[in-house]
């Protein structure tokens, strides 16, 4: 088998790709290496700002009075505490406040009807009127006269 020019060029291209891959991997792993043409700038040093040191909180020491001379202060007997008693209470209730409202009332209307006949005598009839929103009762009188046909 004879190697041609194209086979040699293909092998050289594969070796160049392998070499370039190794260089890229080295720069990726260590960006500050000497083979990196564009190394990152160096970071400024970290400032250490002093902070408050936490101290644990503690209770003050207890102080118990000790008498100067023993026997001056006698220990008192314990006392009994009264039992709790029931305390009465009431829940607040709703207080109704009346508000005036108008209530319709039935107001009867008296109507006088007179018929003209031989004996002119007016007759009174009562007709109911629809309710009105007034609180007072009123009466109205309406006089109506009806004439029979043919009468003067």
């Amino acid at each position: 088998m004879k190697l041609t020019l194209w086979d040699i060029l293909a092998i050289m291209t594969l070796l160049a790709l392998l070499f370039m891959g190794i260089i890229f991997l080295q720069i990726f792993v260590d960006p500050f290496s000497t083979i990196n043409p564009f190394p990152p700038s160096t970071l400024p040093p970290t400032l250490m700002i002093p902070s408050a040191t936490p101290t644990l909180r503690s209770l003050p020491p207890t102080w118990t009075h000790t008498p100067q001379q023993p026997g001056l202060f006698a220990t008192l007997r314990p006392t009994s505490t009264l039992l709790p008693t029931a305390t009465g209470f009431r829940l607040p209730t709703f207080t109704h406040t009346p508000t005036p409202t108008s209530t319709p009332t039935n107001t009867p209307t008296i109507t006088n009807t007179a018929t003209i006949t031989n004996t002119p005598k007016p007759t009174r009839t009562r007709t109911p009127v629809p309710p009105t929103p007034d609180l007072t009762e009123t009466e109205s009188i309406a006089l109506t006269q009806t004439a029979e046909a043919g009468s003067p």
Side-chain angles (χ1 to χ4, degrees):
M1 179 168 208
K2 183 176 166 190
L3 287 176
T4 62
L5 178 66
W6 294 110
D7 292 334
I8 295 172
L9 287 176
I11 291 172
M12 287 176 60
T13 305
L14 285 177
L15 288 175
L17 283 174
L18 181 65
F19 181 69
M20 291 293 284
I22 291 172
I23 290 176
F24 281 125
L25 184 65
Q26 178 64 30
I27 292 173
F28 180 74
V29 170
D30 184 17
F32 295 102
S33 68
T34 57
I35 61 171
N36 188 356
F38 305 108
S41 62
T42 58
L43 296 175
T46 306
L47 292 177
M48 295 299 292
I49 299 173
S51 63
T53 305
T55 56
L56 298 175
R57 294 185 178 197
S58 62
L59 295 174
T62 57
W63 177 78
T64 306
H65 176 69
T66 53
Q68 298 288 341
Q69 298 174 356
L72 283 180
F73 298 101
T75 305
L76 300 175
R77 282 187 355 183
T79 59
S80 62
T81 305
L82 296 176
L83 294 175
T85 59
T87 304
F89 65 93
R90 289 187 183 182
L91 294 175
T93 58
F94 175 73
T95 304
H96 178 69
T97 305
T99 55
T101 56
S102 61
T103 307
T105 57
N106 287 332
T107 306
T109 302
I110 299 174
T111 307
N112 286 333
T113 50
T115 55
I116 301 175
T117 56
N118 291 340
T119 58
K121 187 175 182 184
T123 59
R124 291 184 159 221
T125 60
R126 230 175 232 262
T127 58
V129 175
T132 59
D134 291 339
L135 295 175
T136 60
E137 291 189 15
T138 59
E139 286 190 10
S140 62
I141 300 174
L143 295 174
T144 56
Q145 291 185 350
T146 56
E148 289 183 11
S151 298

